[in-house]
Amino acid sequence: MEKKLFIYNTLSRKKEEFVPLNAPHVGLYVCGPTVYGDPHLGHARSAITFDILFRFLLNLGYKVRYVRNITDVGHLVNDADEGEDKIAKKARVEQLEPMEVAQYYANRYHKAMETLNVLSPSIEPRASGHIIEQIELIKKIFDAGFAYQSGGSVYFDVEKYNKSNNYGALSGRNIDEILENTRELDGQDEKRRSVDFALWKKAAPEHIMHWNSPWSEGFPGWHLECSAMGTKYLGETFDIHGGGMDLIFPHHECEIAQSQAALGHQSVRYWMHNNMITINGQKMGKSLGNSILLDEFFNGNHPLLAQAYSPMVIRFFILQAHYRSTLDFSNEALLASEKGLDRLLEAYARLQKIEAADVSTVKIGNIREKCEEAMLDDLNTPIAISQLFEATRIINLIADGKEKITADDLSELKSVFKIFVEDILGLKTESQNSTKSEAYNQAIDLLLNIRLEAKRNKDWATSDRIRNSLTELGFEIKDSKDGFEWKL
Ligand code: ZN
């Protein structure tokens, strides 16, 4: 690869040139959803961030194996080692099989991701389908001396691990501080120290999801699945591990400790994390009552929403911020995104209808290089988008007949838009979503063509009737040199 991609590695805390272990192959692992509820804006941001990385790596010519897991067991409420399993709890409340709950919400997640134009990963493994691999991993950690058994459960010995390794390297936390800030265990607890985390939990009698193991009838700890599935599908050392920043501690910190303990080396070469979403400056959370589901955005049915926002507007809104910046939700920001996206996609549509001239009266400059440069610099989508807006201004001048462009420049612009707008940013006019909308577009074109014919035949009555009726329905019709343009 001649082009150098730089990405910010959370572990080294700096931008590093991305050099895959086995080019042109790239191994990418991203923590997927825990499937016990409908997907919200936070899910969208993480999925879209790594969708951009996936798409851009493909564009650079890499062969990417993208693994994004589904957590369907072991994730306890409060993200801690105590309490009920999130999925089992939902199953109990709704009187369903836990796997029914997991399937239902996995389907909901997939549907939302599809409308957001997020590409499917290459492999989507489930934690419950990899219990054997997780048990094997615990055995290795045991053999290396970093685990202990207590009451049928198995815990990772963080204090011992920290003597020869740096627990806290990813999150920047200091273990002594962590120990000071966590409660003293009174000896009633199974764990020796509160920083220790579960590798295997013995199932309480009422716990519905459990498997046999050398230690007890139970279930694996939440952090274990990603270590087990990442190395199973991508190898003991793989290129990139991603997820939301909220997963850095404890989830990813524990993953690092587990791999290091079991394998004697780190598994992940580059750690990437997307920042969080705030709502009117406040952290988003179910408990804060400001968590907005993706479906609520799509139908506008939420007290904080002034209107419905389409999936592409949500996608564009997310891409208008760099993935490492916080993204603040507000109706004003979303409305601005809606306008911006319309402008961009409209210019893309107009671009297809422009006819080439003998000379170019505008300079299209090096838009391609500038977009590429932005993406190579740690996926700087807002800068790439600003370059595309500059191109949009030029396209509109040409389409309005104020400037001219040669065939070469025209095909360059078309190629830049195809690659950056469609392939890399994954933006599309929502009418492309369904054949139904395609038929609708063609029907309007048909009506306007009949009107054009009527005008040529000086049949003003028919021509006016079509124009007036469409205008009344909310269509905006613009006559142009070669025919017409319309929008709703
Ligand atoms: Zn994970």
Side-chain angles (χ1 to χ4, degrees):
M1 306 291 146
E2 289 159 45
K3 295 164 191 165
K4 289 184 177 180
L5 168 63
F6 284 83
I7 52 180
Y8 184 87
N9 189 344
T10 313
L11 189 60
S12 68
R13 290 172 177 71
K14 57 176 189 255
K15 278 188 206 169
E16 291 177 14
E17 186 186 342
F18 175 65
V19 184
L21 195 60
N22 297 307
H25 300 278
V26 171
L28 168 64
Y29 187 96
V30 174
C31 291
T34 301
V35 280
Y36 72 105
D38 268 338
H40 52 67
L41 201 53
H43 288 107
R45 188 168 198 198
S46 178
I48 289 170
T49 296
F50 294 102
D51 185 50
I52 294 294
L53 174 66
F54 183 35
R55 285 167 178 270
F56 191 53
L57 288 169
L58 292 175
N59 173 268
L60 290 173
Y62 291 116
K63 294 181 192 314
V64 187
R65 183 179 293 164
Y66 176 17
V67 181
R68 190 186 64 208
N69 70 305
I70 284 187
T71 298
D72 58 358
V73 69
H75 195 169
L76 306 186
V77 288
N78 303 328
D79 302 342
D81 285 337
E82 297 300 329
E84 207 171 354
D85 182 288
K86 287 185 176 184
I87 290 152
K89 183 179 174 191
K90 193 89 181 178
R92 180 174 55 75
V93 172
E94 299 190 3
Q95 294 191 308
L96 295 167
E97 269 293 311
M99 283 305 118
E100 251 181 310
V101 172
Q103 189 64 55
Y104 177 79
Y105 288 110
N107 291 347
R108 305 272 295 165
Y109 178 77
H110 289 143
K111 198 175 143 233
M113 292 308 119
E114 202 185 312
T115 61
L116 289 167
N117 205 19
V118 168
L119 299 177
S120 297
S122 329
I123 305 176
E124 194 173 48
R126 291 180 179 224
S128 65
H130 296 76
I131 302 295
I132 293 168
E133 287 83 352
Q134 297 182 69
I135 289 173
E136 288 308 309
L137 194 61
I138 298 171
K139 285 184 188 164
K140 283 186 186 165
I141 297 170
F142 235 116
D143 291 346
F146 291 108
Y148 60 89
Q149 219 188 126
S150 176
S153 295
V154 181
Y155 293 95
F156 191 95
D157 191 339
V158 170
E159 200 184 21
K160 182 172 177 195
Y161 172 82
N162 194 55
K163 285 193 177 122
S164 46
N165 298 277
N166 179 8
Y167 184 79
L170 184 72
S171 58
R173 296 187 190 207
N174 177 326
I175 189 170
D176 298 323
E177 259 171 43
I178 300 173
L179 282 171
E180 257 172 48
N181 292 331
T182 46
R183 69 197 159 88
E184 278 286 315
L185 296 180
D186 53 12
Q188 303 268 317
D189 205 298
E190 286 181 349
K191 288 191 215 179
R192 288 182 192 156
R193 304 235 167 217
S194 59
V195 284
D196 294 349
F197 56 90
L199 297 170
W200 188 264
K201 286 285 285 181
K202 182 183 176 180
E206 67 277 11
H207 201 98
I208 33 187
M209 286 190 282
H210 46 82
W211 290 264
N212 201 3
S213 82
W215 312 286
S216 63
E217 186 78 15
F219 55 94
W222 170 40
H223 314 306
L224 205 59
E225 59 172 286
C226 293
S227 294
M229 297 188 288
T231 51
K232 177 179 169 99
Y233 296 110
L234 299 173
E236 287 197 355
T237 305
F238 60 90
D239 294 308
I240 306 172
H241 191 318
M245 249 168 73
D246 54 334
L247 295 178
I248 292 177
F249 192 89
H251 187 52
H252 291 159
E253 197 75 76
C254 294
E255 273 190 49
I256 290 178
Q258 288 166 162
S259 295
Q260 180 76 35
L263 309 169
H265 61 80
Q266 307 236 341
S267 290
V268 177
R269 302 176 62 240
Y270 303 84
W271 283 94
M272 288 178 78
H273 293 94
N274 63 278
N275 211 322
M276 301 288 97
I277 289 185
T278 54
I279 294 196
N280 298 319
Q282 250 201 332
K283 198 176 170 239
M284 189 179 78
K286 243 187 188 164
S287 53
L288 298 166
N290 64 357
S291 177
I292 308 177
L293 301 176
L294 287 172
D295 265 357
E296 292 169 333
F297 276 104
F298 303 159
N299 61 33
N301 205 357
H302 189 283
L304 284 174
L305 297 175
Q307 60 164 71
Y309 299 97
S310 77
M312 270 310 112
V313 170
I314 298 294
R315 185 177 175 103
F316 190 61
F317 168 67
I318 287 172
L319 294 178
Q320 279 184 298
H322 187 256
Y323 75 91
R324 284 194 289 116
S325 321
T326 54
L327 176 59
D328 190 48
F329 156 86
S330 67
N331 282 292
E332 296 72 46
L334 271 171
L335 283 169
S337 287
E338 189 177 65
K339 267 195 189 151
L341 180 65
D342 269 358
R343 202 150 65 84
L344 190 67
L345 293 177
E346 225 177 277
Y348 190 19
R350 295 185 91 186
L351 181 61
Q352 309 309 319
K353 293 182 184 160
I354 289 175
E355 280 179 25
D358 297 338
V359 284
S360 282
T361 55
V362 278
K363 274 213 167 87
I364 62 162
N366 44 358
I367 290 169
R368 181 190 296 268
E369 287 73 21
K370 284 179 176 165
C371 286
E372 210 155 58
E373 221 171 82
M375 293 303 293
L376 289 169
D377 181 15
D378 196 26
L379 311 177
N380 202 327
T381 53
I383 299 281
I385 289 169
S386 72
Q387 293 302 328
L388 292 168
F389 273 130
E390 176 55 23
T392 292
R393 194 183 60 81
I394 295 169
I395 290 166
N396 286 334
L397 285 172
I398 302 165
D400 290 341
K402 290 174 187 152
E403 302 284 357
K404 289 183 186 135
I405 190 167
T406 61
D408 281 355
D409 283 353
L410 187 59
S411 76
E412 170 66 4
L413 271 183
K414 282 182 181 172
S415 160
V416 167
F417 266 65
K418 164 82 177 71
I419 291 171
F420 287 93
V421 175
E422 264 188 62
D423 299 349
I424 296 174
L425 297 179
L427 300 168
K428 59 180 185 182
T429 44
E430 257 143 332
S431 60
Q432 280 172 289
N433 278 342
S434 68
T435 47
K436 206 167 142 191
S437 309
E438 203 39 57
Y440 158 89
N441 287 341
Q442 285 177 17
I444 304 294
D445 281 347
L446 175 70
L447 267 176
L448 289 170
N449 274 315
I450 292 172
R451 174 174 167 259
L452 213 59
E453 264 174 54
K455 264 170 77 180
R456 283 196 196 112
N457 298 331
K458 301 201 178 351
D459 175 3
W460 307 117
T462 306
S463 152
D464 288 350
R465 190 173 148 216
I466 293 174
R467 188 193 177 97
N468 294 343
S469 303
L470 285 175
T471 309
E472 257 174 51
L473 288 169
F475 288 92
E476 203 178 293
I477 300 151
K478 218 158 113 187
D479 289 315
S480 67
K481 192 166 65 136
D482 322 305
F484 52 80
E485 286 181 46
W486 64 268
K487 65 179 178 187
L488 190 58

